[in-house]
């Protein structure tokens, strides 16, 4: 029986983090240590790096995820290890896992097999406390709003028009819609409220797009919290608590450094969901990697319709980054599921279904081509893949002119992606014509339509009456010139998670829009996407435990 990811991680003899950092030229006195194996880069050191030139930037994305698994984080880590193996000075920039999915359906999120980031348990649990800081900063705002109204409501806030929600880093569906302030008058103003999961909080998005602590404080001040009885916007700067929020975030803004199983340095920082928020690690961490290494490998959540689109339309635009190459990850198993095979039948050879499922891969390739970027398809190989299936997939790539590489990083670590690494290095030398898919000066409707048509393959967009009214308000308040962050199911190119493959003849329905003014984008909610997930019937938490020696089991 093969070992679990956790067992593989626990067998690794970790190197002291000072030694790992030294490999990339980071001096020990520029680290703020959190035990032996994890640290943060210091404020002064990040400042010091700002004058350095940047290396090459490689994005790892994927097809629409399925229960069969694609292995985007695993490929990211394996590719980074492989680039180091072929003598390229490389770092990886990843997101921090959220406790909600860890205890829910997904389990741990630090790569897999022999392409992992360690200490895996710490990364998946409290790590260095960044999630708690974000949760606290977010909920400080909520406490300040309710206290302000209780103490006389000088700002004339309408309790029915408060837009800023509380948050918790847990999948807890009962908190989506709640009533607070019940009971006596001393408990504050009674009103309807709700929770987002922490990784959907605007505080998280702002952290990941900020340049430094003062920029983050400015972004906090710009965040919308409510409207007055006269429909005038109320911002955090009106509550005057942006300074306190920034204080809470003083350590959380510093990137965390850890190592792969092959002892290569990785920065893990920030973790916005890609089906709700923008799905990329922090700009601070990405730029630090680019200035420290010749090659930086990063990933963006879920398929290219979500994470990659937001990385290329939001993060790169706002942070002035120019990516050099894209890796699109797919598995035979996932493609068969997109081709109509039930999950329980995926072990059976089915070349026809595989080729039908390639329609999904083809759309994601098309999206990356529209951004003007060179790409390679990475086939993340599973033990159950047959020779016929692999051959059919290789033939499909060749016939359609798509460069591809077979990757075995789960089983072989960096050694399993040497071919992929060479191809990526070659792609990075090519001239590319990267440009975002839309101009921010277009109308909100035009920007949403551009994403829906160009990235999802939709025929158009329908806006609910509520969404139309919100667009009118946003335009009146001068917020129309921001990029769009689509909140959509990750399971499908459409806004219906049950439709796999490459749907045709559909429209996207935008039911609600939310201004994330501190982050610097407008969130468009489509279909039934939720900003607070729930736990499944059998949560992963049921299989987790710790023994008297402190050894953890069942984390993944």
């Amino acid at each position: 029986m093969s070992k679990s990811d956790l067992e593989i991680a626990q067998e690794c003899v970790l190197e002291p983090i000072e030694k790992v950092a030294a490999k990339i030229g980071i001096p020990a006195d520029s680290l703020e240590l959190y035990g032996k194996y994890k640290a943060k880069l210091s404020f002064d050191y990040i400042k010091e790096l700002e004058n350095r030139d940047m290396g090459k930037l490689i994005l790892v994305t994927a097809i629409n995820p399925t229960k069969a698994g694609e292995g985007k984080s695993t490929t990211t880590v394996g590719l980074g290890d492989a680039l180091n193996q072929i003598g390229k000075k490389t770092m990886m920039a990843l997101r921090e896992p959220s406790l909600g999915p860890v205890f829910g359906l997904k389990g741990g999120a630090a790569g897999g097999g022999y392409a992992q980031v360690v200490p895996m348990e710490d990364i998946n649990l409290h790590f260095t406390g960044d999630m708690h800081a974000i949760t606290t900063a977010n909920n400080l705002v909520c406490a300040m709003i309710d206290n302000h109204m209780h103490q006389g409501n000088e700002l004339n806030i309408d309790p029915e028009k408060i837009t800023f929600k509380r948050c918790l880093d847990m999948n807890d569906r009962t908190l989506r819609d709640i009533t607070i302030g019940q009971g006596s008058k001393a408990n504050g103003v009674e009103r309807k409220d709700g929770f987002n999961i922490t990784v959907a909080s605007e505080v998280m998005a702002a952290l990941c797009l900020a340049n430094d602590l003062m920029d983050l404080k400015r972004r906090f001040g710009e965040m919308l919290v409510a409207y007055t009885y006269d429909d005038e916007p109320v911002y955090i700067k009106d509550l005057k608590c942006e300074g306190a929020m920034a204080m809470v975030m003083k350590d959380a803004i510093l990137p965390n450094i850890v190592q792969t199983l092959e002892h290569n340095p990785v920065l893990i920082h920030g973790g916005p969901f890609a089906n709700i928020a923008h799905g990329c690690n922090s700009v601070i961490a990405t730029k630090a990697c680019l200035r420290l290494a010749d090659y930086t490998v990063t990933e963006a959540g879920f398929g290219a319709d979500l994470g990659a689109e937001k990385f290329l339309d939001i993060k790169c635009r706002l942070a002035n980054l120019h990516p050099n190459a894209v890796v699109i990850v797919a598995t035979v198993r996932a493609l068969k599921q997109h081709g109509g095979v039930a999950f329980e039948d995926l072990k059976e050879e089915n070349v026809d279904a595989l080729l039908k499922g390639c329609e999904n891969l083809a759309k994601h390739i098309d999206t990356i081509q529209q951004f003007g970027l060179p790409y390679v398809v990475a086939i993340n190989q599973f033990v159950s893949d047959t020779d016929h299936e692999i051959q059919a997939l290789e033939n499909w790539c060749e016939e359609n002119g798509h460069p591809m590489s077979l990757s075995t990083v789960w089983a072989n670590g960096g050694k399993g992606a040497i071919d992929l690494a060479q191809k990526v290095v070659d792609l990075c030398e090519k001239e590319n014509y990267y440009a975002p898919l839309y101009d921010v000066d277009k109308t909100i409707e035009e920007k949403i339509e551009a994403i829906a048509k160009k990235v999802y393959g939709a025929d158009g967009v329908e806006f609910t009456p509520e969404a139309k009214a919100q667009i009118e308000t946003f335009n009146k308040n001068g917020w129309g010139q921001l990029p769009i962050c689509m909140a959509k199911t990750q399971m499908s190119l459409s806004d219906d998670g049950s439709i796999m493959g490459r749907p045709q003849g559909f429209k996207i329905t935008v039911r609600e829009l939310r201004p994330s003014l501190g982050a610097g984008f407008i969130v468009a909610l489509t279909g039934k996407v939720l900003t607070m997930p729930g736990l499944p019937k059998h949560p992963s938490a049921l299989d987790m435990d710790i023994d008297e020696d402190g050894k953890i089991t069942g984390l993944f």
Side-chain angles (χ1 to χ4, degrees), residues 191-256:
R191 68 179 182 90
K192 294 207 174 303
D193 197 8
F195 277 73
N196 292 324
I197 190 166
T198 295
V199 283
S201 161
E202 190 182 349
V203 175
M204 169 66 89
L207 166 73
C208 288
L209 289 166
N211 296 313
D212 52 39
L213 188 59
M214 289 304 99
D215 183 37
L216 183 60
K217 183 164 80 168
R218 179 195 63 76
R219 288 168 179 273
F220 286 160
E222 296 302 319
M223 289 180 182
L224 179 78
V225 294
Y227 296 93
T228 65
Y229 285 103
D230 304 320
D231 285 328
E232 292 300 316
V234 180
Y235 305 97
I236 285 178
K237 61 189 172 191
D238 299 321
L239 292 166
K240 299 181 170 59
C241 63
E242 67 269 36
M245 293 171 71
M247 178 192 73
V248 167
M249 296 293 291
K250 73 177 178 63
D251 295 322
I253 198 167
L254 303 173
N256 310 292

Side-chain angles (χ1 to χ4, degrees), residues 448-449 452-453 456-463 505-509:
I448 292 171
E449 196 160 277
K453 286 182 172 177
Y456 311 154
D459 290 345
V461 181
E462 289 173 348
F463 295 88
F506 67 95
K507 288 191 172 180
I508 294 285
T509 301

Side-chain angles (χ1 to χ4, degrees), residues 17-320:
I17 200 63
E18 299 95 328
K19 188 177 175 186
V20 175
K23 287 182 184 177
I24 206 80
I26 302 170
D29 62 3
S30 298
L31 299 174
E32 295 185 5
L33 298 175
Y34 283 67
K36 293 180 192 173
Y37 307 116
K38 51 191 193 287
K40 283 183 173 284
L41 302 187
S42 71
F43 266 120
D44 294 343
Y45 187 64
I46 290 167
K47 205 99 197 109
E48 231 177 84
L49 292 174
E50 283 174 10
N51 301 321
R52 294 194 192 179
D53 291 339
M54 292 199 202
K56 307 284 191 189
L57 180 58
I58 300 140
L59 172 68
V60 180
T61 185
I63 60 173
N64 287 101
T66 66
K67 280 204 300 183
E70 291 66 52
K72 186 159 41 60
S73 300
T74 306
T75 303
T76 303
V77 176
L79 173 58
D81 282 340
L83 284 162
N84 277 301
Q85 281 194 27
I86 64 170
K88 304 296 179 186
K89 192 178 178 187
T90 304
M91 286 189 80
M92 289 139 269
L94 302 176
R95 291 176 300 157
E96 301 181 43
S98 162
L99 283 171
V102 166
F103 291 128
L105 194 59
K106 227 175 151 198
Y114 289 90
Q116 285 191 67
V117 186
V118 282
M120 186 257 228
E121 302 97 318
D122 294 10
I123 293 164
N124 279 304
L125 296 175
H126 304 282
F127 202 19
T128 57
D130 294 349
M131 291 288 183
H132 303 301
I134 293 161
T135 304
T136 302
N138 183 103
N139 293 341
L140 169 63
V141 177
C142 299
M144 294 289 279
I145 295 167
D146 288 304
N147 183 59
H148 181 88
M149 290 192 298
H150 178 67
Q151 304 293 354
N153 199 7
E154 195 183 312
L155 291 170
N156 201 28
I157 293 170
D158 184 343
E160 290 186 10
K161 293 175 190 162
I162 293 170
T163 58
F164 201 92
K165 291 189 173 188
R166 289 166 159 83
C167 74
L168 185 72
D169 194 31
M170 191 56 59
N171 290 6
D172 193 347
R173 62 173 61 80
T174 58
L175 295 177
R176 286 173 192 158
D177 295 293
I178 60 170
T179 304
I180 60 170
Q182 291 176 302
S184 75
K185 237 181 173 170
N187 296 344
V189 177
E190 184 173 322
R191 68 179 182 90
K192 294 207 174 303
D193 197 8
F195 277 73
N196 292 324
I197 190 166
T198 295
V199 283
S201 161
E202 190 182 349
V203 175
M204 169 66 89
L207 166 73
C208 288
L209 289 166
N211 296 313
D212 52 39
L213 188 59
M214 289 304 99
D215 183 37
L216 183 60
K217 183 164 80 168
R218 179 195 63 76
R219 288 168 179 273
F220 286 160
E222 296 302 319
M223 289 180 182
L224 179 78
V225 294
Y227 296 93
T228 65
Y229 285 103
D230 304 320
D231 285 328
E232 292 300 316
V234 180
Y235 305 97
I236 285 178
K237 61 189 172 191
D238 299 321
L239 292 166
K240 299 181 170 59
C241 63
E242 67 269 36
M245 293 171 71
M247 178 192 73
V248 167
M249 296 293 291
K250 73 177 178 63
D251 295 322
I253 198 167
L254 303 173
N256 310 292
I257 182 166
V258 284
Q259 63 191 289
T260 68
L261 292 176
E262 297 183 18
H263 312 302
N264 291 311
V266 183
L267 292 189
I268 298 190
H269 193 219
F273 272 0
N275 58 346
I276 303 165
H278 71 286
C280 310
N281 74 293
S282 76
V283 167
I284 294 173
T286 303
K287 286 189 171 176
C289 286
L290 285 166
R291 288 168 174 141
L292 283 162
D294 296 330
Y295 294 84
T296 293
V297 186
T298 191
E299 50 92 38
F302 299 127
D305 57 322
L306 287 170
E309 185 272 316
K310 293 168 184 181
F311 178 86
L312 298 166
D313 271 333
I314 298 175
K315 178 174 175 172
C316 290
R317 187 200 309 258
L318 298 181
N320 197 22

Side-chain angles (χ1 to χ4, degrees), residues 223-448:
M223 289 180 182
L224 179 78
V225 294
Y227 296 93
T228 65
Y229 285 103
D230 304 320
D231 285 328
E232 292 300 316
V234 180
Y235 305 97
I236 285 178
K237 61 189 172 191
D238 299 321
L239 292 166
K240 299 181 170 59
C241 63
E242 67 269 36
M245 293 171 71
M247 178 192 73
V248 167
M249 296 293 291
K250 73 177 178 63
D251 295 322
I253 198 167
L254 303 173
N256 310 292
I257 182 166
V258 284
Q259 63 191 289
T260 68
L261 292 176
E262 297 183 18
H263 312 302
N264 291 311
V266 183
L267 292 189
I268 298 190
H269 193 219
F273 272 0
N275 58 346
I276 303 165
H278 71 286
C280 310
N281 74 293
S282 76
V283 167
I284 294 173
T286 303
K287 286 189 171 176
C289 286
L290 285 166
R291 288 168 174 141
L292 283 162
D294 296 330
Y295 294 84
T296 293
V297 186
T298 191
E299 50 92 38
F302 299 127
D305 57 322
L306 287 170
E309 185 272 316
K310 293 168 184 181
F311 178 86
L312 298 166
D313 271 333
I314 298 175
K315 178 174 175 172
C316 290
R317 187 200 309 258
L318 298 181
N320 197 22
L321 293 169
H322 191 113
N324 298 89
V326 178
V327 177
I328 305 168
V329 182
T331 61
V332 165
R333 289 162 55 86
L335 290 169
K336 284 195 291 190
Q337 202 162 354
H338 276 293
V341 176
F343 179 74
E344 51 277 11
D345 299 329
L346 288 175
K347 284 188 176 152
E348 305 297 319
E349 182 175 283
N350 192 329
V351 170
D352 290 345
L354 166 71
L355 294 173
K356 173 105 179 68
C358 283
E359 291 175 1
N360 185 269
L361 172 58
K363 180 65 200 82
H364 292 297
I365 292 170
D366 168 63
T367 296
I368 298 305
Q369 287 173 321
Q370 288 185 70
F371 280 104
L373 288 165
Y375 63 91
V376 57
V377 175
I379 306 302
N380 180 24
Q381 194 168 4
F382 275 67
V383 183
S384 58
D385 300 346
T386 69
D387 291 345
H388 284 131
E389 289 171 333
I390 294 288
Q391 191 61 57
L393 188 47
E394 287 179 339
N395 291 346
W396 180 87
C397 287
E398 198 177 324
E399 284 161 18
N400 290 282
H402 304 311
M404 65 82 64
S405 181
L406 197 58
S407 165
T408 58
V409 292
W410 192 93
N412 301 312
K415 198 171 65 180
I418 299 293
D419 176 66
L420 178 62
Q422 297 283 8
K423 284 178 174 157
V424 164
V425 168
D426 293 343
L427 286 181
C428 286
E429 296 312 310
K430 284 187 177 179
E431 192 178 351
N432 74 60
Y433 306 96
Y434 159 70
L437 285 187
Y438 57 82
D439 187 329
V440 285
D441 293 333
K442 298 275 190 197
T443 66
I444 292 170
E445 294 95 330
E446 284 170 334
K447 287 181 281 200
I448 292 171

Side-chain angles (χ1 to χ4, degrees), residues 444-445 465-480 513:
I444 292 170
E445 294 95 330
E466 185 189 3
K468 285 177 183 170
Q470 287 164 334
I471 290 171
E472 215 172 288
T473 301
F474 294 4
N475 289 334
K476 184 188 86 174
N477 289 320
W479 305 333
L513 292 114

